[in-house]
Amino acid sequence: MINPFANALDAQREGFEAMADGLEKASVAPERAGPLAKIEVGETPSEVVYTENKLELLHYKPEDAGIEVPEEEQCDVPILIVYALINKPYILDLQAERSVVRRLLEAGHDVYLIDWNEPSRMDQYLTLDDYVNRYIHNCVEEVAERTGNEQINVLGYCMGGTMTAMYAALHPEKVNAMALMAAGLYFDDTGGVLEEWGSDEYYDPEDVTSAFGNVPAGMLDVGFALMDPVDNFVSKYVRLYDNLENEDFVENFARMERWLDEGIDLAGAAYEQFLGDIYQENKLYKNELYLDGKHVDVENIDMPLLQLMGEYDHLIPAAASKPFNDVVGADDIETIEYPTGHIGLSVSGSSHEDVWPRAAEWFHEQSEDVELEEAATEIEIGDGADAATEAGEEPEAGGPPAEDDEIEVETPESEDGEQATLTDEEGADSVDTVNGIGPTYAERLEAAGIETTADLAAADAATVAEAAEVSASRAQDWIDQVA
């Protein structure tokens, strides 16, 4: 016979159990609140080695991070990580065991990263050309100069991956190998939610930029959250409640929440171009994209290419990346499609066990030929000198002097017979000290005879613009800084 009170008693028992569980979790809640407020992120030590406008170029060193890599396992070709213009880049260095930066350092790579920082109202007119041909290019030049490499490796993430592909198409001679991670490269019914929402049938990006100038981070954050509202507004907090007693879970949750909460605005003009040309018109894939009149010819992408994609990525599905492999000029293409999401490629434990060791090894493999060529050149030069010495031959005319030889350098005399000083005009700095003038622009200006800030101050905007291949307004801004 069924006890008529059984259901009521079961419900009462379950209620008491839930209450007891709630009281137990409530007792640890204050302890867990601390990590939520004070959690540390981006802990791998770095130094800023180059700045331009708001961007900072970060350089990481294994020894600073407590990572010891044998010399024979170190890679001579550095990696420049080009991060997206949205959110902060420490998602790639969230914590030691979930840090893309550390995985690359542990594998012996020399790692640099572009941190774009927050654009101001004055930056709302920055275009994709500014980001690709100015900022990224200047950072590549800086890394190449610091490391003595003519070519470097690049790794682009999300929107940064799309811009990296543009850069490689415009400057293939600067890129040894390119890896793209969750990069939006093809938009033609891929099934991505962003592609649907960004369709020109429903959305005009100019409506946003005309109202705000830059695209507010808050608007972007809400849009991303609404792509999966149940998980972002309900489920994840249920998971937090269920795991309040798990300190590691709470700390990981806090790190992710901090990253999600620290969004940055997006420059208005670049946003318009990206939505219009890339999402709505698919110009990059169609090989129809131009930046400031320069054709972004994807067939020029002939360097080794690695694509990293998340099988469950609802922001940039694999279908928005893979077709790009068919239109580039590269023959050496590798694809890793891993069962994780957009952010999971960066922070999931399994990605750090399976994906990043493979990616780090891929960069090593693509750099071996470069290192062998450099070694062969050194051996050839060294052998020639040693052979001449062993044969008792005199060094050829014009060769390096012996250590004991003295080299006399004539110092030009001034009109009154006194020795002239071989320095730039007193008090004048090199033009690359001006905000916005990186190595590339400095080289162009110096070729036109504008070598110092004094030269720049004396020049007119039209001359500077023509020499540096920039707009007259940007040239005038440089002149105003030193006038």
Side-chain angles (χ1 to χ4, degrees):
M1 181 177 178
I2 299 176
N3 186 342
F5 301 105
N7 290 338
L9 291 172
D10 287 343
Q12 186 180 50
R13 176 178 51 78
E14 291 173 1
F16 282 130
E17 289 176 351
M19 184 183 300
D21 183 59
L23 290 172
E24 186 175 353
K25 285 184 169 59
S27 67
V28 300
E31 298 177 21
R32 300 294 179 257
L36 286 171
K38 301 177 182 179
I39 199 70
E40 295 295 329
V41 293
E43 296 185 65
T44 304
S46 65
E47 63 173 330
V48 177
V49 296
Y50 175 77
T51 62
E52 185 173 355
N53 196 359
K54 309 300 186 302
L55 84 78
E56 295 178 321
L57 177 62
L58 308 182
H59 182 215
Y60 302 86
K61 292 184 178 180
E63 57 269 23
D64 294 340
I67 299 171
E68 295 184 4
V69 181
E71 185 174 352
E72 63 272 14
E73 296 179 14
Q74 296 175 15
C75 184
D76 291 333
V77 184
I79 297 175
L80 172 63
I81 300 176
V82 181
Y83 188 69
L85 301 179
I86 303 170
N87 290 105
K88 294 187 177 181
Y90 62 73
I91 192 66
L92 300 178
D93 186 30
L94 200 63
Q95 60 194 83
E97 62 272 21
R98 298 171 188 262
S99 168
V100 172
V101 170
R102 288 188 70 94
R103 295 298 84 75
L104 295 174
L105 291 175
E106 290 165 352
H109 291 289
D110 189 12
V111 181
Y112 293 78
L113 180 146
I114 299 177
D115 185 349
W116 298 107
N117 289 308
E118 184 96 30
S120 69
R121 291 281 293 181
M122 294 178 63
D123 298 319
Q124 64 181 298
Y125 301 110
L126 290 176
T127 64
L128 288 178
D129 179 64
D130 289 309
Y131 282 104
V132 174
N133 285 315
R134 176 183 170 189
Y135 293 141
I136 294 178
H137 185 59
N138 286 345
C139 287
V140 169
E141 293 277 273
E142 179 69 20
V143 173
E145 183 177 348
R146 288 175 58 86
T147 59
N149 288 274
E150 293 184 4
Q151 294 183 320
I152 69 170
N153 296 325
V154 290
L155 167 61
Y157 177 40
C158 191
M159 186 180 183
T162 312
M163 294 191 298
T164 299
M166 297 177 194
Y167 179 80
L170 290 163
H171 305 277
E173 74 284 356
K174 296 291 185 181
V175 181
N176 175 63
M178 175 172 66
L180 303 177
M181 173 186 174
L185 305 163
Y186 172 81
F187 296 97
D188 187 6
D189 296 326
T190 64
V193 179
L194 286 180
E195 181 186 341
E196 293 298 323
W197 286 2
S199 170
D200 56 5
E201 183 179 353
Y202 313 110
Y203 184 67
D204 184 351
E206 289 188 22
D207 291 341
V208 177
T209 56
S210 61
F212 298 104
N214 291 328
V215 183
M219 188 193 90
L220 295 170
D221 293 343
V222 170
F224 291 135
L226 287 174
M227 295 177 68
D228 191 353
V230 174
D231 187 71
N232 289 316
F233 294 113
V234 180
S235 300
K236 71 176 182 180
Y237 296 109
V238 173
R239 290 194 296 272
L240 173 63
Y241 175 80
D242 289 340
N243 290 276
L244 269 178
E245 298 172 76
N246 185 332
E247 185 174 354
D248 289 340
F249 182 94
V250 173
E251 289 184 356
N252 291 338
F253 181 89
R255 290 187 181 95
M256 281 302 306
E257 285 302 292
R258 175 175 171 179
W259 180 75
L260 291 169
D261 189 54
E262 293 185 343
I264 61 176
D265 296 349
L266 178 57
Y271 176 77
E272 285 183 25
Q273 277 186 287
F274 200 83
L275 263 290
D277 290 346
I278 307 302
Y279 270 85
Q280 296 178 346
E281 298 187 39
N282 204 20
K283 286 185 178 180
L284 182 62
Y285 173 81
K286 294 178 179 178
N287 209 16
E288 298 173 354
L289 182 65
Y290 285 79
L291 297 184
D292 195 29
K294 296 177 282 290
H295 183 207
V296 184
D297 189 349
V298 296
E299 293 183 3
N300 289 337
I301 300 177
D302 57 0
M303 69 289 300
L305 170 63
L306 170 66
Q307 286 235 51
L308 305 173
M309 298 165 286
E311 184 179 343
Y312 310 129
D313 189 339
H314 63 286
L315 291 175
I316 306 293
S321 301
K322 277 194 289 189
F324 195 66
N325 294 347
D326 299 328
V327 296
V328 298
D331 295 322
D332 185 354
I333 301 176
E334 185 171 340
T335 299
I336 298 176
E337 185 174 350
Y338 195 71
T340 189
H342 190 78
I343 305 302
L345 281 172
S346 303
V347 301
S348 74
S350 59
S351 293
H352 283 271
E353 291 179 2
D354 300 331
V355 175
W356 289 107
R358 291 168 61 187
E361 180 60 28
W362 181 85
F363 274 120
H364 267 294
E365 292 170 356
Q366 308 313 319
S367 304
E368 285 176 355
D369 290 342
V370 177
E371 293 169 2
L372 287 173
E373 288 174 7
E374 292 176 352
T377 302
E378 291 175 4
I379 292 172
E380 183 178 345
I381 294 172
D383 286 351
D386 292 342
T389 303
E390 290 175 5
E393 298 175 2
E394 293 293 329
E396 293 184 12
E403 290 184 6
D404 294 335
D405 290 345
E406 293 185 1
I407 304 175
E408 293 186 1
V409 179
E410 291 187 7
T411 305
E413 295 185 353
S414 61
E415 292 182 0
D416 59 4
E418 295 182 359
Q419 288 186 331
T421 304
L422 297 178
T423 61
D424 288 336
E425 185 174 342
E426 187 174 355
D429 296 319
S430 173
V431 288
D432 61 9
T433 61
V434 176
N435 184 30
I437 299 181
T440 299
Y441 290 139
E443 184 177 339
R444 293 174 185 171
L445 291 170
E446 289 168 3
I450 304 173
E451 301 180 356
T452 68
T453 53
D455 296 333
L456 182 62
D460 60 83
T463 301
V464 173
E466 182 178 358
E469 300 177 20
V470 298
S471 65
S473 60
R474 185 183 299 174
Q476 187 60 54
D477 175 66
W478 294 344
I479 294 171
D480 291 342
Q481 291 184 49
V482 297

